[in-house]
Amino acid sequence: MSMTTMNNDVYRYQAVEKHILGMVENGALQLGEKLPSLRKLSTNLGVSISTVNQAYVELERKGVIESRPRSGFFVKQKAMRLPRTESGPTPMEAPRPVTRIGLIQTVLESVGGTDTNEIPLGVVAPGTPLLPLKELGRITAAMIRDNPERALAYAPIPGDDELIRQIAFRSMELGIPAGPTDPVITAGCMEALYLGMRSITRPGDTVLIQSPTYYCFLQLLETLGLRVIEIPSDPEGGVSPAELAHALKTFDISACILAPNFNNPDASLTPDEAKQEIVRLLAERDIPLVEDDVYTDLHFTPKRPGTYKQFDEKGLVLLCSSFSKTIAPGYRVGWMLPGKFRQKVLEIKATTNVSTSAPGQMAIAEYLRQGRMERQIKRLRNAMETQMDTMQLHLERHFPVGTRVTHPRGGSVLWLELPKQVDSVELFFQARAKSIGIAPGPIFSTQDKFSNYIRLSCGAPWSEQMRQGIETLGGLATELAQK
Amino acid sequence: MSMTTMNNDVYRYQAVEKHILGMVENGALQLGEKLPSLRKLSTNLGVSISTVNQAYVELERKGVIESRPRSGFFVKQKAMRLPRTESGPTPMEAPRPVTRIGLIQTVLESVGGTDTNEIPLGVVAPGTPLLPLKELGRITAAMIRDNPERALAYAPIPGDDELIRQIAFRSMELGIPAGPTDPVITAGCMEALYLGMRSITRPGDTVLIQSPTYYCFLQLLETLGLRVIEIPSDPEGGVSPAELAHALKTFDISACILAPNFNNPDASLTPDEAKQEIVRLLAERDIPLVEDDVYTDLHFTPKRPGTYKQFDEKGLVLLCSSFSKTIAPGYRVGWMLPGKFRQKVLEIKATTNVSTSAPGQMAIAEYLRQGRMERQIKRLRNAMETQMDTMQLHLERHFPVGTRVTHPRGGSVLWLELPKQVDSVELFFQARAKSIGIAPGPIFSTQDKFSNYIRLSCGAPWSEQMRQGIETLGGLATELAQK
C-alpha cells in the first residue's frame, strides 16, 4: 500500500466519523438509537466496510457510541450543538459605559502568568509546538546577524518597507483590496484595534459591538471612555443586518467593532452577503467599522471566508490583523488597512510608540518572502480542527447533562453553555485553584449575560494533561450544576 | 613615550582647549582680545608649554582664535552661549489645547524617512556606528536560537522577568528607588510616556510642561485631548520651583510632564535641589509627575544627575526611560517605574498592545546581564561630547552673527537661537530641500514662540558630509538673516 492510498484511507475514516457526529448533533441520530450497519453505511457513503468499521471503533474509543455484542453500535452521547438564536430584532438596552475591567483584569492575569504548569484552556494562541519555532528562530537570527543596522535603527512609522510590501501582496492574493503601501504595521492586532478605535471615536461616543464579544474590545472601549450598544452574535449566523439596521435607527452610533469570522468567543461567522449588507448600511450613514480579521486564516471551510473590507467602497472599514495567531504571538507584529483614516492612525501611532519593533518585522517579512506562510497556516488549520474535535468529544464525556457547545467552522475556541445554575465566574476561580485556565462568560459582555457560559481555547495540542484538565473541569461544573 | 603618557597629553591639550573656550563663552576673553602667553598659561594650568601650544594650534585650526606674527594669539569668534532667562515668575497664558500636530507631522516624516542620503541633524538617536551593532546583534541571534519558545510566545504584560530584574537592579545601583518587580516594560520611552499620561489624566485636563518641550509630548497631549500650561525651561537652570509654585496657585493643574536632565530641545538640567522642591510642591497637592529620564545616562558631568523619582515619597512620580538613546532605537524597548499607578498602567498596556515584543526584551536583558551596558554608555558619552564640541566649533564658523547656542552638560542636542528675522520653519523647508534634516523651534511649544530657534542633533559621528551640511545650513540661515 502506497503512502498516498493510506493517507486517503485515513482521510476517509475521519470523514465517516464526522458524518456520524453530524447526524448525532443535528438529531438525525438520537441518544440510544442504533447506528446504520457497517455494510449499509459503506454502500451509502461509497467507502469500504473496513473504513466504516475504523470510524465506529474510533467513535467508540472517544465515547460517542458504544457497541453491544451481537446488536451493533448505539449512540451513547447527547447532542450538544448550541441552537440558533431566536430571530427578529432583540430588545436593546440604552448605551452604557463599560465597567468590566476589574473582572477582566483578573482573567488577564492568567495570560503570560507565572504559573507555567497551568493547563492553557484560557489563552487563545496556538501552543508553542504549533509555532514555526526553529524555522522562524533561524530566520530571525540570520536577519539580525546580516542586517544589524536595519534591526537596531528606528523602523519607519508605518512599518518596515519589505513587510508592508509582503502584507499588501498577500492581502491582494486573498481578495482583500490593498494598495502596495496601504498596510500600517502595528504591535500586534491589539494595537491595530486601539489605533483604529482612537482614530474614529471621541470619549463619550457610542460604539456598536456584537454580543458576546472579545473582552479586550470591552477593556479598550472602557479605557477610551466609550459607550456600548450590543447586538446579538449568533453562533450559527453571526451578526444580522436586520439587528444592525434596527440599532442604527434607534441609537446615535459613531462606530462599530466587529469580527467578520470566528468571533471570539462564540466563533460565529457572518455570511459574506450579510457582511456586504452591513457595510452598505454603515456607508449610508458614514459610520466607520473596525474589523478584527485575526482568526480568518484558521478556517476549516474549503474557501477562506470574506472580510467586511472587501465590500468597502468609501474607505470606512479599518481591517486589523496580526501574526499572533499563526506564527509568533511574542513578536507583537500586526497590521491594519486603515482606509481613509491612515493619516490619523499614523499620528496616534507616533505618539504611542513611534514605530513597531524592527527585528520581528524583518523576520516576518523574510518568512513571508520565502513563501512559508501558507504551509504553516495549512498545518495550523489541520491541527486546530483536530484539537477542536478531540476536545469536543471529551467535553461530551465529562460535562454535566444540559451542556451545549459550539461546532465552529474555524478559529480556535469553543463556547460552552452550561446548565443555568452554574456560575461560570465561580467555576473560573475553582478551576484556577487547580491550575486550569478558562474564560468565564460575563467578561464577554457589558450586560449581566452569559453567567453560565465559558470559553475554552483549543490552541494547545491535545495531551493527557489536557484530558485530565477537561475531566477535572467537567467535574467542577457538574458539582456546581448540582448545587 | 608610552601610550599612557600620550593619552594623558591628548587629554590635557583638550582640557586646555575647553578652558579657553569657556573663557570665550563666559566673556572672560572678548572678541579680538589677546590670549595669555604660552608660558603664562602653562604655569597657571600646570601643563607643559607644548600642551598649551597644541591647544592653541587646534583652536586656530577650528577658527576660534588666530595667530598674529610676533604678537601672539587673539580671539577671532564671538561668544555664543545662550543667556539665562530673566528671573521672576513669567506672565502665563491661560491653559490652551494643543494644535501643533500638522507641523510636527511634517517634521516627523523625516524620522525613518526614505531619504537615506539625508544629513541627520533632525533625528535624536545615536548614529548607527555608535550602537553596539555586532555585539547586540550576536546576543539577539543567540538568544532567539537558544530560546525560541520564549521569543515566540507572549511575554507577560509587565514584561520579560529577567529584563525587569536587570532594570530594577541597575536603577537601584543608580540611586533610583525601585523594588525588584517595579519596572513595567514598554515599547520604547514613548509608550511609557503615553501609558503614564493616560493613567493620570482625562481629556480636558490641564497639564504643566516646560517650554520649550519635546514635540512628541505636545503630540501626545493633543491626541489625548489635554490642555497645557507652559513654564520656562532655562538652558542653564532648568525648571524653577518658583515658576512651578506660581503656576500651581494660578491654574487647576492635573499632572506634569518634565525632563529632569538634558531636556529636549534646550538640553537644560534642573538642579537636584530644585527637583526635590518641585516634587514636594506637587506632593502637597497630590499632583502626579511623568518624568522623561531618557537622556540622563548621556551626562558629561562626573556624576550622573539625579531624577525626580528619587525624591518621590508618595508614589506620584512615574519615571520613564528606554534603551533607544543608548543601544537599540529599533528594538522599541523602554520601561517605567509607575509608582502607585502601576495597576492602571497595566490595564491600559493590555488594551494597547498586550505586551512588549519578546525578542528585543530577551536580548537586552542578556546584554545587561553580561555587564556590557556601562561600557557602552561611557563610550557613547565620550563620543557625544566630542561630536557636540566639534559641531559647536563649526556652527560658530558658519552661522550668522547674532547666533547663540547652548553648551549642554549632557544629552545629544544643541539648541540654537538665530537672529530674530530668521524664520526657522522656512529654514527647515529650505534645508530639507537640500537633504538636511533639522527641527524648527515652533514645534517645541504650543505658543507662537521660538520662531528663530532650531534644534540640531549631534547623534551622528562627525564627517565631511556633516561639515558640509553645517556649512550649507549656516549659509541658508545667513541668507534668511539678511532678508
Side-chain angles (χ1 to χ4, degrees):
Chain A
M1 185 189 278
S2 76
M3 285 300 289
T4 316
T5 317
M6 206 175 79
N7 281 339
N8 279 346
D9 269 14
V10 168
Y11 177 78
R12 275 188 187 136
Y13 101 74
Q14 287 180 338
V16 174
E17 201 183 321
K18 287 218 163 159
H19 174 80
I20 301 294
L21 277 172
M23 290 174 74
V24 174
E25 280 156 12
N26 69 21
L29 279 171
Q30 296 284 333
L31 185 61
E33 194 171 335
K34 190 181 173 190
L35 273 76
S37 72
L38 296 180
R39 181 167 308 275
K40 190 174 171 197
L41 197 59
S42 150
T43 310
N44 287 353
L45 298 179
V47 297
S48 70
I49 288 180
S50 73
T51 298
V52 177
N53 187 53
Q54 200 181 349
Y56 279 18
V57 168
E58 193 57 27
L59 285 165
E60 185 175 22
R61 199 181 63 74
K62 290 173 175 170
V64 179
I65 63 176
E66 59 183 346
S67 69
R68 297 180 192 158
R70 268 174 298 259
S71 301
F73 289 89
F74 293 81
V75 180
K76 191 182 167 189
Q77 291 275 346
K78 56 211 166 291
M80 287 177 62
R81 184 180 282 266
L82 270 184
R84 201 176 175 81
T85 313
E86 297 303 311
S87 61
T90 315
M92 278 176 285
E93 298 185 30
R96 51 162 70 201
V98 192
T99 54
R100 278 282 184 252
I101 277 194
L103 177 60
I104 293 170
Q105 197 67 21
T106 309
V107 174
L108 264 188
E109 276 164 16
S110 310
V111 179
T114 45
D115 183 357
T116 47
N117 293 318
E118 184 170 275
I119 299 169
L121 299 169
V123 182
V124 183
T128 42
L130 293 175
L131 299 175
L133 293 180
K134 281 192 186 167
E135 208 178 9
L136 188 54
R138 206 184 54 238
I139 290 175
T140 311
M143 286 299 283
I144 292 169
R145 205 184 48 230
D146 299 345
N147 309 276
E149 291 204 16
R150 186 168 150 216
L152 265 68
Y154 286 116
I157 298 174
D160 180 86
D161 292 339
E162 178 64 21
L163 183 57
I164 290 174
R165 199 164 23 245
Q166 291 294 336
I167 289 172
F169 182 67
R170 180 160 193 267
S171 300
M172 287 183 285
E173 280 190 317
L174 296 175
I176 302 166
T181 59
D182 282 359
V184 171
I185 310 301
T186 57
C189 190
M190 194 67 228
E191 195 197 20
L193 297 167
Y194 157 78
L195 294 173
M197 292 311 293
R198 279 282 307 276
S199 301
I200 61 176
T201 63
R202 290 171 167 274
D205 280 357
T206 297
V207 176
L208 182 139
I209 62 174
Q210 62 197 108
S211 177
T213 200
Y214 182 32
Y215 57 80
C216 283
F217 291 2
L218 298 179
Q219 280 192 302
L220 173 59
L221 301 178
E222 181 169 346
T223 59
L224 295 182
L226 297 165
R227 303 171 78 79
V228 154
I229 287 291
E230 301 192 6
I231 65 171
S233 178
D234 182 276
E236 296 290 316
V239 174
S240 139
E243 297 270 7
L244 182 113
H246 178 61
L248 292 181
K249 271 180 210 144
T250 316
F251 303 106
D252 180 21
I253 288 167
S254 302
C256 300
I257 181 165
L258 299 172
N261 308 301
F262 320 128
N263 179 48
N264 181 351
D266 68 344
S268 68
L269 182 158
T270 301
D272 284 3
E273 315 79 65
K275 286 179 192 130
Q276 184 165 19
E277 177 63 6
I278 287 169
V279 170
R280 195 190 63 74
L281 286 164
L282 294 173
E284 273 180 8
R285 290 170 166 81
D286 270 323
I287 298 175
L289 163 64
V290 166
E291 76 169 317
D292 177 8
D293 194 39
V294 81
Y295 294 110
T296 306
D297 278 331
L298 303 179
H299 60 95
F300 310 153
T301 51
K303 197 171 156 291
R304 192 185 199 271
T307 61
Y308 288 107
K309 184 74 186 170
Q310 71 193 51
F311 303 110
D312 178 31
E313 289 171 5
K314 294 176 80 174
L316 287 168
V317 177
L318 301 90
L319 181 142
C320 302
S321 193
S322 86
F323 299 99
S324 303
K325 308 303 181 196
T326 49
I327 55 172
Y331 279 26
R332 311 307 304 124
V333 178
W335 73 91
M336 62 194 300
L337 300 172
K340 69 179 192 178
F341 305 98
R342 183 187 168 83
Q343 189 57 34
K344 187 81 189 156
V345 160
L346 291 178
E347 279 172 22
I348 298 172
K349 169 90 184 162
T351 64
T352 309
N353 53 35
V354 188
S355 63
T356 303
S357 184
Q361 293 194 71
M362 290 162 60
I364 292 176
E366 179 64 12
Y367 185 87
L368 291 170
R369 200 191 61 76
Q370 293 183 7
R372 294 170 187 273
M373 191 67 182
E374 302 316 317
R375 205 177 44 204
Q376 161 67 5
I377 287 177
K378 194 172 171 191
R379 175 181 164 227
L380 210 51
R381 275 205 295 262
N382 290 337
M384 286 293 170
E385 191 169 10
T386 305
Q387 287 168 201
M388 214 179 257
D389 284 352
T390 310
M391 194 179 297
Q392 278 164 329
L393 290 169
H394 285 271
L395 290 175
E396 294 175 12
R397 191 175 298 171
H398 296 296
F399 270 65
V401 176
T403 299
R404 298 194 297 179
V405 63
T406 49
H407 283 246
R409 281 165 284 173
S412 65
V413 294
L414 293 175
W415 181 232
L416 275 71
E417 182 185 353
L418 303 170
K420 276 263 176 297
Q421 61 274 31
V422 176
D423 176 351
S424 63
V425 174
E426 173 67 20
L427 180 60
F428 163 76
F429 284 111
Q430 289 190 8
R432 201 172 64 162
K434 292 182 183 292
S435 286
I436 301 170
I438 64 169
I443 70 173
F444 297 97
S445 168
T446 62
Q447 299 165 10
D448 294 325
K449 293 201 294 194
F450 309 119
S451 69
N452 57 323
Y453 284 68
I454 60 172
R455 186 201 69 185
L456 298 181
S457 164
C458 308
W462 190 251
S463 64
E464 174 54 21
Q465 194 206 20
M466 291 278 279
R467 198 203 58 74
Q468 285 175 10
I470 292 292
E471 186 174 345
T472 306
L473 192 62
L476 294 172
T478 306
E479 275 177 40
L480 286 171
Q482 287 161 355
K483 266 190 182 163
Chain B
M1 188 188 278
S2 77
M3 283 302 287
T4 315
T5 318
M6 206 175 79
N7 279 341
N8 279 346
D9 270 12
V10 167
Y11 176 80
R12 274 188 188 136
Y13 101 74
Q14 287 180 338
V16 174
E17 201 183 323
K18 285 214 167 165
H19 174 79
I20 300 294
L21 277 172
M23 290 174 73
V24 174
E25 280 155 11
N26 68 22
L29 281 171
Q30 295 286 333
L31 184 61
E33 193 171 338
K34 189 180 174 192
L35 272 77
S37 71
L38 296 181
R39 183 168 307 275
K40 187 174 175 200
L41 198 58
S42 152
T43 310
N44 286 353
L45 298 179
V47 296
S48 69
I49 289 181
S50 73
T51 298
V52 176
N53 187 52
Q54 200 180 350
Y56 279 17
V57 168
E58 192 58 26
L59 284 166
E60 185 176 22
R61 198 182 64 74
K62 289 172 176 170
V64 179
I65 62 177
E66 58 185 346
S67 68
R68 297 181 193 158
R70 271 176 294 259
S71 302
F73 288 90
F74 293 81
V75 180
K76 191 182 167 189
Q77 292 275 344
K78 58 211 163 294
M80 286 177 63
R81 184 179 283 266
L82 270 184
R84 201 175 176 82
T85 312
E86 298 301 310
S87 62
T90 315
M92 278 177 284
E93 298 185 29
R96 51 162 70 199
V98 193
T99 53
R100 279 281 184 250
I101 278 194
L103 177 60
I104 294 170
Q105 197 67 22
T106 308
V107 175
L108 264 188
E109 275 164 17
S110 311
V111 180
T114 46
D115 182 357
T116 47
N117 293 318
E118 186 171 275
I119 299 170
L121 299 170
V123 182
V124 183
T128 43
L130 293 176
L131 299 175
L133 291 180
K134 281 192 183 164
E135 207 179 10
L136 187 55
R138 205 184 56 237
I139 290 174
T140 312
M143 287 300 283
I144 291 168
R145 204 183 49 231
D146 299 345
N147 310 275
E149 291 204 15
R150 185 168 151 218
L152 265 68
Y154 286 115
I157 297 173
D160 180 86
D161 293 339
E162 178 64 21
L163 182 58
I164 290 174
R165 200 164 21 246
Q166 291 293 336
I167 289 172
F169 182 67
R170 181 160 193 269
S171 300
M172 287 182 286
E173 280 190 317
L174 296 176
I176 302 166
T181 59
D182 281 359
V184 171
I185 311 301
T186 58
C189 189
M190 194 67 229
E191 195 197 21
L193 298 167
Y194 158 78
L195 293 173
M197 292 310 294
R198 278 284 306 276
S199 299
I200 61 176
T201 63
R202 291 171 166 276
D205 280 357
T206 297
V207 176
L208 181 139
I209 62 174
Q210 63 198 106
S211 178
T213 200
Y214 182 33
Y215 57 81
C216 282
F217 291 2
L218 298 180
Q219 280 192 302
L220 173 59
L221 301 178
E222 180 168 348
T223 60
L224 295 181
L226 297 164
R227 302 170 80 80
V228 154
I229 287 292
E230 300 191 6
I231 64 172
S233 178
D234 183 276
E236 296 291 315
V239 174
S240 137
E243 297 270 6
L244 182 113
H246 178 61
L248 292 181
K249 272 179 209 143
T250 317
F251 302 107
D252 180 20
I253 287 167
S254 303
C256 300
I257 181 164
L258 299 173
N261 308 303
F262 320 127
N263 178 48
N264 180 349
D266 67 345
S268 67
L269 181 158
T270 300
D272 285 3
E273 314 80 65
K275 286 180 192 130
Q276 185 165 18
E277 177 62 7
I278 287 169
V279 170
R280 195 190 64 72
L281 286 165
L282 294 173
E284 272 180 8
R285 290 171 165 81
D286 269 323
I287 298 174
L289 163 65
V290 166
E291 77 170 315
D292 177 8
D293 194 39
V294 82
Y295 294 109
T296 306
D297 279 331
L298 302 181
H299 59 95
F300 310 152
T301 51
K303 197 170 157 292
R304 192 185 199 271
T307 62
Y308 289 106
K309 184 73 187 169
Q310 71 193 49
F311 303 110
D312 178 31
E313 289 171 6
K314 294 176 80 174
L316 286 168
V317 177
L318 302 89
L319 180 143
C320 302
S321 193
S322 86
F323 298 99
S324 302
K325 307 304 179 197
T326 48
I327 55 173
Y331 279 26
R332 311 307 305 124
V333 178
W335 73 92
M336 60 195 299
L337 300 172
K340 68 178 193 179
F341 304 98
R342 183 186 168 84
Q343 189 57 32
K344 187 80 187 158
V345 160
L346 291 177
E347 280 173 23
I348 297 172
K349 170 88 182 163
T351 65
T352 308
N353 53 34
V354 187
S355 62
T356 303
S357 184
Q361 293 194 70
M362 291 162 59
I364 291 176
E366 181 62 13
Y367 185 87
L368 291 170
R369 199 191 63 74
Q370 294 183 6
R372 294 171 187 272
M373 192 66 182
E374 302 317 317
R375 205 177 43 205
Q376 162 67 7
I377 287 178
K378 195 172 171 191
R379 176 180 162 228
L380 210 52
R381 275 205 296 261
N382 290 338
M384 285 295 169
E385 191 170 8
T386 304
Q387 287 167 202
M388 215 179 255
D389 284 352
T390 310
M391 194 180 295
Q392 278 165 329
L393 290 171
H394 285 271
L395 290 175
E396 293 174 13
R397 190 173 300 172
H398 296 296
F399 270 65
V401 177
T403 299
R404 299 194 299 179
V405 63
T406 49
H407 283 245
R409 281 165 284 174
S412 66
V413 295
L414 292 175
W415 181 233
L416 275 70
E417 184 186 350
L418 304 171
K420 275 263 177 295
Q421 61 273 32
V422 176
D423 176 350
S424 63
V425 174
E426 173 67 21
L427 181 60
F428 163 76
F429 283 112
Q430 288 188 9
R432 202 173 63 163
K434 293 186 183 289
S435 285
I436 302 170
I438 63 169
I443 68 174
F444 298 98
S445 167
T446 62
Q447 299 165 10
D448 293 326
K449 293 200 294 192
F450 309 119
S451 69
N452 56 322
Y453 285 68
I454 60 171
R455 187 200 68 185
L456 298 181
S457 165
C458 309
W462 190 251
S463 64
E464 174 54 22
Q465 195 206 18
M466 291 278 279
R467 198 202 57 73
Q468 285 175 9
I470 292 292
E471 186 175 344
T472 306
L473 193 61
L476 294 173
T478 306
E479 274 177 42
L480 286 171
Q482 287 160 355
K483 264 189 184 166

